[in-house]
């Protein structure tokens, strides 16, 4: 992938974000792909736009996008480079009109994410990261500033960010058992990733399930670029080429310093 690829992704995400914002300002209709799985015109139109732009700019690179038909990326795992796209990450938040949703585009190269872009249409903020080169926040006026994960060294001092829409007693128990200083919630897996990348949160922990691969790729790239670490809840790398697209082994995204402590505590919880 060329050195200018990240800027192309920034531009495509911004274009999709404009479209999403246009729908957000209307009395849009909510459909359902399945139980508790809503979709709107914004998801579909942004998906089509991103796929069209990526196909033009990066011909031959498979695009695993949430609102695309599975047959369009059936053999994606055989490619060295793969795009993972969530056109509106945080559809529940989009529907609730609470601003906590993002456009997500991530690039997998080999086994690991290398480029990630997220754009929050309702906030007017974007984030972009290239692993090994750094990460930044991009404001609506085009100004940019570098971002980096926190340096909190101990889990007992840490702030954890967790899901707002997918709460359960089991999740609350697991997070409390980790013993952090604070747990707060935010919508959108992508926005939780930006909280870690910018150092506002020391970790995002999803012990049991963490959405699909397109919910993770861009966020992982951003966090890695900002100096952090991402694994599944067992401490293994996320397998973007494995059978199925669900992150059903959970996810732990941290500043790196408290990562092993979280994984050890999750292991102990499973054994108790």
């Amino acid at each position: 992938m060329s050195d200018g690829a990240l800027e192309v992704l920034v531009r495509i995400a911004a274009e999709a974000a404009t479209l999403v914002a246009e729908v957000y300002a209307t009395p849009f209709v909510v459909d359902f792909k399945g139980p508790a799985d809503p979709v709107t015109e914004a998801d579909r139109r942004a998906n089509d736009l991103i796929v069209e732009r990526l196909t033009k700019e990066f011909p031959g690179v498979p695009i695993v996008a949430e609102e695309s038909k599975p047959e369009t990326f059936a053999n994606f795992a055989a490619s060295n480079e793969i795009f993972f796209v969530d056109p509106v990450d945080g559809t529940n938040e989009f529907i609730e009109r609470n601003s906590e949703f993002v456009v997500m585009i991530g690039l997998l190269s080999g086994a690991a994410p290398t480029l990630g872009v997220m754009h929050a249409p309702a906030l007017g903020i974007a984030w972009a990261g290239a692993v090994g080169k750094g990460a930044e926040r991009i404001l609506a006026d085009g100004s940019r500033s570098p971002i980096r994960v926190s340096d909190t060294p101990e889990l007992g001092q840490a702030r954890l960010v967790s899901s707002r829409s997918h709460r359960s007693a089991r999740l609350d128990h697991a997070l409390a058992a980790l013993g952090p200083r604070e747990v707060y919630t935010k919508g959108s897996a992508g926005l939780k990733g930006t909280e870690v990348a910018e150092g506002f949160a020391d970790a995002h922990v999803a012990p049991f399930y963490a959405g699909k691969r397109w919910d993770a790729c861009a966020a992982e790239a951003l966090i890695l670029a900002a100096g952090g670490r991402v694994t599944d809840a067992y401490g293994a790398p996320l397998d973007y080429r494995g059978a199925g697209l669900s992150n059903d082994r959970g996810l732990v995204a941290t500043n790196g310093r408290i990562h092993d402590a979280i994984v050890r505590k999750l292991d102990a919880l499973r054994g108790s």
Side-chain angles (χ1 to χ4, degrees):
M1 198 66 65
S2 69
D3 289 342
L6 184 63
E7 291 306 314
V8 175
L9 300 189
V10 169
R11 174 172 53 79
I12 294 172
E15 191 175 353
T18 297
L19 186 157
V20 170
E22 290 172 356
V23 177
Y24 192 57
T26 69
F28 55 82
V29 174
V30 180
D31 297 320
F32 284 86
K33 296 180 286 184
D37 190 9
V39 63
T40 73
E41 178 186 1
D43 298 83
R44 297 187 180 106
R45 290 178 59 192
N47 195 95
D48 290 347
L49 183 149
I50 294 169
V51 169
E52 179 183 337
R53 300 295 189 269
L54 289 177
T55 299
K56 179 181 178 180
E57 295 284 354
F58 308 99
V61 180
I63 305 164
V64 182
E66 180 172 12
E67 306 307 333
S68 295
K69 294 181 179 179
E71 55 266 28
T72 65
F73 52 79
N75 299 314
F76 73 90
S79 179
N80 180 59
E81 294 181 321
I82 308 162
F83 284 113
F84 287 86
V85 172
D86 193 338
V88 181
D89 179 60
T91 299
N92 284 317
E93 283 69 33
F94 180 89
I95 293 167
E96 292 175 8
R97 299 182 185 274
N98 67 15
S99 302
E100 295 182 3
F101 53 91
V102 292
V103 175
M104 300 177 70
I105 306 174
L107 175 69
L108 187 81
S109 299
T114 54
L115 300 179
V117 172
M118 285 176 276
H119 195 123
L123 303 178
I125 304 171
W127 299 263
V131 177
K133 296 183 179 180
E136 58 188 1
R137 167 193 274 236
I138 307 170
L139 299 183
D141 64 4
S143 61
R144 301 185 179 212
S145 55
I147 59 173
R148 187 152 183 87
V149 296
S150 72
D151 58 4
T152 302
E154 301 290 340
L155 182 51
Q157 303 170 9
R159 298 183 78 222
L160 306 189
V161 61
S162 182
S163 175
R164 169 174 290 163
S165 299
H166 305 287
R167 307 301 303 171
S168 69
R170 184 186 183 208
L171 173 61
D172 290 340
H173 172 74
L175 295 177
L178 295 177
R181 173 172 62 88
E182 178 186 355
V183 176
Y184 69 101
T185 62
K186 187 167 282 286
S188 166
L191 278 182
K192 288 189 277 288
T194 69
E195 292 286 290
V196 175
E198 294 205 71
F200 300 140
D202 303 300
H204 165 216
V205 182
F208 313 114
Y209 176 76
K212 299 294 183 70
R213 301 293 191 253
W214 45 69
D215 296 305
C217 186
E220 179 172 359
L222 185 74
I223 291 166
L224 295 178
R229 183 178 172 194
V230 179
T231 68
D232 67 21
Y234 296 78
L238 298 181
D239 183 5
Y240 288 92
R241 299 173 185 277
L245 290 168
S246 295
N247 301 318
D248 50 13
R249 286 170 55 90
L251 180 141
V252 176
T254 74
N255 64 2
R257 297 189 175 201
I258 61 172
H259 200 99
D260 290 336
I262 291 175
V263 171
R264 284 195 298 269
K265 288 208 171 187
L266 291 177
D267 284 342
L269 279 173
R270 284 189 288 267
S272 61

